[in-house]
Every structure is written in structure tokens, then in C-alpha cells.
Amino acid sequence: MVQTDFTRMRCPVARSMSVLGERWALLVLREAFYGTTRFDAFARNLGIAPNILSARLSRLVEHGLLQRAPAESGGRQAYHLTEKGRDFFPAYIALKRWADRWMADSDGPPILLVEAATGAEVVSPPLTGRSGAPLAPEDVRVRPGPGAGATLHARFGSGDRPHE
């Protein structure tokens, strides 16, 4: 079975899935968000084989979400979030919010994120419109963007109605 190469698609969401859609990628980023920087700590915290971890870290470095740097205490390299990687943090928080609601055990989520300065829990706010009212998928219309080609213009037109 031939896999679709998402990197060749015009859709930025599809292209992002070529990097983030691999099952370990988000977990490696989770660890980076939680302060992990050393290879051995990533391996220990994730329970991932070294060869798989090495490949995932390399891919995240290649795509600019992490950067390698000399470790402060010598030895192996450290991995740090780049601006691009840090920019994914709100998306991670939104995913964590969904997962905590729908995928956590009955005891609740195993990890809480709290603001360092206040100790208040970090939460992803609901998606809202300009008025502040919550938005659901049916409240949103799709319009062609500046990078849209003829196919998307034909498919979504002016965006005045929902599309199937």
C-alpha cells in the first residue's frame, strides 16, 4: 500500500501532519513543553526505543520545531523548542483539554499544568466568536484564502454557506 505524501499537498494542515501526525511526535513535543531537554530524559519519560527517539528528534529538528544545542553540563546535546515549536503550545493545550475531558480515566487527568507565577491551572479557553459567544463547527463558514487555487475557489466559493 502506497502512503500519501502529505508534504506535497497544498493544505498546510496536511503538511503539518507529515511532521506532527507520527505517533511519537506530539509526545516528544509534550516532553519539551514539560521541560525535558536531554536525550536520556526523553527516552526515560517516554519509554521509547533510542533509535525511534533519535529519528523523531531529528525530524523535529529538521522541521524547525526543536533545535540542538550543546548540553550545559557537557556530554550529549540538548534539545530546545524553537519559536516554531513554542508556537505550537496553544494547540497542545487545546489537545490536552480535549484529551483530559474525553480520554482521561475516571480519576481525572494525571497531569495538571499550572501557571508558574500564580499556581492557577492553565486551561484552553473555548473557541469564541467576535461577540464572545462559543463557536461550534456549524457556526463557521469556509472561504478560500489568499493561497487558494481554482479548486478551492470552486469548492468553497464565497463561504456564505456550509459545504459538504
Side-chain angles (χ1 to χ4, degrees):
M1 173 192 245
V2 176
Q3 290 187 334
T4 301
D5 182 1
F6 286 170
T7 62
R8 297 185 183 277
M9 292 184 171
R10 285 187 53 105
C11 174
V13 173
R15 287 198 305 260
S16 72
M17 292 309 296
S18 72
V19 178
L20 300 172
E22 190 284 321
R23 69 185 194 158
W24 286 105
L26 288 179
L27 298 178
V28 171
L29 284 174
R30 177 198 71 191
E31 287 303 311
F33 293 139
Y34 292 1
T36 303
T37 61
R38 300 290 302 261
F39 185 93
D40 56 342
F42 279 107
R44 181 180 59 253
N45 296 341
L46 292 169
I48 184 174
N51 62 321
I52 302 288
L53 177 57
S54 180
R56 296 313 165 254
L57 286 167
S58 292
R59 187 138 172 90
L60 291 169
V61 167
E62 173 188 342
H63 287 278
L65 285 97
L66 295 175
Q67 64 183 7
R68 287 184 184 99
E72 289 144 18
S73 60
R76 293 187 177 185
Q77 301 176 83
Y79 294 87
H80 297 282
L81 290 160
T82 62
E83 181 182 0
K84 186 177 182 179
R86 295 172 66 79
D87 206 33
F88 187 72
F89 187 62
Y92 171 75
I93 294 298
L95 176 61
K96 184 180 180 323
R97 176 181 176 226
W98 178 87
D100 288 349
R101 178 174 180 193
W102 295 105
M103 306 302 286
D105 293 337
S106 60
D107 295 338
I111 295 286
L112 296 177
L113 301 178
V114 297
E115 190 176 344
T118 66
E121 187 175 354
V122 174
V123 294
S124 173
L127 185 62
T128 59
R130 178 175 267 170
S131 71
L135 288 177
E138 58 272 10
D139 299 322
V140 175
R141 299 296 176 257
V142 180
R143 294 188 331 194
T151 302
L152 289 178
H153 279 279
R155 179 177 175 195
F156 295 115
S158 66
D160 292 335
R161 62 188 192 291
H163 293 273
E164 296 179 13

